[in-house]
């Protein structure tokens, strides 16, 4: 017969039960988070995706390469490479969505800028993005089989360590995708630079056209209109009041001189005749003579550069000397131009107050963009209090070689 349990024993048992509950392990839960499940999904999808890609590449590209000796072979190969490019796009999207790895899209082929079907076909055949995507699909099949088998087996047998296995295998997938599906860094950087430079050149040309139109409309055109009106009034007064007519003609003569001077300045701003006829040294000496600050010009060039480079160099110095006249408060300045191997170097110095910056609103940013558009450099050293040294560097292209073409 069991002895009755006293109230004290019952309290002690309750305390032991409560203590045992607090000290025991937490309830079992499936400790897989969302990124882990995405990685597992990616690994399980490797097999069907790699099968599709492998079969496509082997079938289409091998058929196109085998028929390359026929008329339809090369177009078929080009079409197959276009499809390979699309498979690469699909794989990049899968890596971004499931593995969280950002892989940029390569630039599209510039088919619109090619001339003729043969050029377009050749551009498609040598597409490095498509060939790297095809290589990616070829080497992915054994890896896809391995990752599928390991992941599926681990879901039932090794599930406690599956997150670690999934992370290791998807790291290999990330490295493979970056190596073969990413755009070429140098090529893409160069393409982006050229597209940006083309935009800068177009914007600069449009701004120059607007400036020329504004100068013609507000300057010479207005003076010529006043001249026509003055001559018309002089014609009416020629018989009635010859003295007033003579005064009007004299005034019109002054307007003609001013209009001609404005047209000369405008033509000099477009492309000065002295630059075409006598070269950079004489043109820079001419623009320096109009500066309000004494300027010493030194040009050490054994030959003339290409016309485009010569024009950019002239307008760069002209703009810098205008800035010196308007903003620097300098007492003296100098311009040095020389050639160093395949570069044309320009250095403009003044002893003004300094503080010039590329974002200072004095046209420096526009000069830097214009030089950057032709693979040039533009460096400003202008501490507060001065002096200011601006160094510009342009690629040297020989005028004779350009003219021969």
């Amino acid at each position: 017969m069991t002895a009755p349990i006293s109230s004290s024993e019952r309290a002690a048992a309750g305390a032991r039960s409560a203590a045992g509950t607090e000290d025991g392990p937490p309830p079992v839960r499936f400790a897989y988070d969302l990124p882990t499940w995405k990685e597992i999904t990616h690994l399980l999808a490797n097999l069907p995706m790699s099968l599709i890609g492998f079969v496509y590449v082997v079938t289409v590209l091998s058929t196109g390469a085998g028929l390359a000796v026929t008329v339809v072979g090369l177009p078929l190969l080009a079409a197959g490479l276009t499809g390979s490019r699309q498979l690469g796009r699909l794989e990049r999207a899968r890596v971004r969505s499931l593995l969280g790895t950002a892989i940029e899209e390569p630039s599209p082929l510039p088919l619109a800028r090619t001339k003729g079907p043969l050029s377009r076909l050749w551009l498609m055949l040598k597409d490095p993005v498509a060939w790297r995507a095809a290589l990616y699909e070829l080497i992915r099949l054994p890896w896809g089989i391995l990752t599928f088998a390991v992941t599926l087996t681990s879901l039932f047998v090794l599930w406690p360590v599956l997150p670690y296995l999934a992370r290791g295998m998807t790291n290999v997938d990330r490295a493979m995708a970056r190596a073969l599906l990413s755009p070429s860094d140098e090529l893409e950087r160069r393409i982006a630079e050229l597209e940006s430079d083309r935009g800068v050149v177009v914007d600069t040309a449009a701004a120059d056209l607007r400036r020329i139109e504004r100068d013609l409309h507000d300057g010479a055109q207005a003076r010529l209109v006043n001249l026509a009106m003055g001559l018309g009034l002089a014609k009416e007064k020629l018989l009635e009041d010859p003295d007033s007519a003579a005064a009007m003609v004299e005034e019109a003569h002054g307007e003609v001189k001013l209009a001609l001077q404005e047209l000369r300045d405008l033509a000099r701003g477009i492309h000065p005749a002295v630059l075409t006829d006598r070269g950079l040294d004489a043109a820079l000496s001419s623009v320096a003579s109009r500066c309000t600050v004494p300027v010493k010009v030194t040009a050490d060039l054994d030959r003339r550069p290409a016309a485009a480079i010569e024009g950019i160099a002239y307008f760069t110095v002209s703009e810098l000397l205008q800035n010196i006249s308007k903003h620097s408060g300098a007492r003296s300045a100098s311009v040095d131009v020389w050639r160093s191997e395949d570069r044309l170097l320009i250095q403009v110095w003044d002893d003004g107050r300094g503080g010039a910056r590329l974002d200072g609103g004095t046209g420096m940013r526009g000069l830097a963009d214009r030089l950057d558009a032709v693979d040039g450099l533009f460096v400003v050293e202008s501490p507060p209090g001065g002096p200011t040294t601006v160094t510009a560097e342009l690629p040297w292209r020989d005028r004779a070689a350009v003219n021969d073409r």
Side-chain angles (χ1 to χ4, degrees):
M1 185 175 178
T2 305
I5 300 175
S6 65
S7 59
S8 59
E9 291 177 342
R10 210 181 288 116
R16 287 194 298 271
S17 176
T21 303
E22 290 179 0
D23 294 339
V28 176
R29 62 185 179 87
F30 209 52
Y32 282 22
D33 56 4
L34 181 60
T36 301
W37 279 115
K38 286 186 174 182
E39 291 177 346
I40 292 172
T41 304
H42 175 86
L43 294 171
L44 291 176
N46 273 348
L47 179 59
M49 294 299 298
S50 60
L51 276 173
I52 294 172
F54 184 84
V55 171
Y56 174 84
V57 169
V58 171
T59 303
V60 177
L61 296 188
S62 62
T63 303
L67 296 176
V69 295
T70 66
V71 178
V72 299
L74 291 180
L76 180 61
L77 182 59
L81 287 172
T82 302
S84 175
R85 200 180 232 267
Q86 298 307 314
L87 283 176
R89 182 191 298 271
L90 179 61
E91 287 293 335
R92 281 189 294 272
R94 192 164 70 96
V95 170
R96 282 194 298 266
S97 61
L98 294 178
L99 300 186
T101 300
I103 299 180
E104 298 295 331
E105 292 292 332
S107 300
L109 289 175
L111 297 176
R113 296 199 293 268
T114 57
K115 297 179 180 179
L118 292 180
S119 299
R120 188 174 294 109
L121 178 64
W122 176 243
L123 185 63
M124 296 168 67
L125 288 175
K126 66 177 186 177
D127 180 16
V129 175
W131 283 109
R132 283 190 280 115
L135 177 61
Y136 178 82
E137 298 297 344
L138 284 176
I139 66 177
R140 285 273 297 171
L141 182 58
W143 177 249
I145 296 173
L146 176 64
T147 56
F148 178 84
V150 171
T151 305
L152 187 62
T153 303
S154 299
L155 275 173
F156 300 98
V157 179
L158 300 174
W159 62 265
V161 296
L162 179 55
Y164 303 100
L165 293 174
R167 179 56 53 87
M169 290 187 291
T170 52
N171 281 341
V172 176
D173 271 334
R174 291 182 178 95
M176 198 181 304
R178 288 193 189 100
L180 294 177
L181 297 182
S182 293
S184 171
D185 293 339
E186 183 64 24
L187 178 61
E188 291 299 314
R189 183 190 64 80
R190 185 60 181 156
I191 290 174
E193 284 183 358
L194 291 176
E195 290 177 348
S196 175
D197 293 346
R198 181 179 61 183
V200 170
V201 170
V202 171
D203 293 342
T204 301
D208 289 341
L209 288 175
R210 288 194 298 269
R211 177 182 59 80
I212 294 169
E213 180 183 10
R214 183 178 64 252
D215 291 345
L216 284 173
H217 183 271
D218 298 340
Q221 181 179 348
R223 291 195 180 279
L224 291 175
V225 170
N226 291 333
L227 173 62
M229 294 176 60
L231 289 176
L233 293 174
K235 180 180 178 181
E236 293 177 0
K237 293 182 175 291
L238 184 61
L239 298 178
E240 300 175 359
D241 191 354
D243 294 336
S244 297
M248 290 181 179
V249 170
E250 182 66 24
E251 184 179 351
H253 183 251
E255 289 288 332
V256 169
K257 289 182 177 180
L258 291 175
L260 288 175
Q261 182 61 41
E262 289 183 356
L263 289 174
R264 288 194 199 98
D265 294 339
L266 182 60
R268 187 182 296 114
I270 298 172
H271 195 84
V274 65
L275 179 63
T276 303
D277 298 337
R278 300 175 56 192
L280 196 57
D281 190 0
L284 294 182
S285 298
S286 175
V287 73
S289 65
R290 299 193 297 272
C291 184
T292 59
V293 176
V295 181
K296 179 183 178 182
V297 178
T298 303
D300 184 14
L301 300 175
D302 56 352
R303 67 184 73 178
R304 295 179 63 178
I309 301 300
E310 194 174 58
I312 294 174
Y314 170 82
F315 287 111
T316 299
V317 174
S318 177
E319 183 71 22
L320 291 174
L321 290 181
Q322 287 184 26
N323 287 340
I324 291 174
S325 297
K326 296 177 182 177
H327 308 291
S328 70
R331 292 174 295 177
S332 62
S334 65
V335 176
D336 294 292
V337 182
W338 72 98
R339 177 183 178 182
S340 177
E341 297 181 355
D342 60 345
R343 309 294 284 182
L344 176 65
L345 298 172
I346 303 166
Q347 192 170 82
V348 179
W349 174 89
D350 70 80
D351 59 356
R353 64 177 63 95
R357 303 189 313 274
L358 288 178
D359 57 350
T362 56
M364 294 285 192
R365 181 74 263 170
L367 290 176
D369 291 340
R370 180 173 294 192
L371 266 68
D372 186 62
V374 292
D375 287 338
L377 294 175
F378 190 82
V379 180
V380 178
E381 296 179 9
S382 183
T388 296
T389 302
V390 178
T391 304
E393 184 177 327
L394 289 165
W396 179 276
R397 291 204 298 269
D398 204 14
R399 176 178 292 260
V402 173
N403 291 337
D404 290 342
R405 287 198 296 270

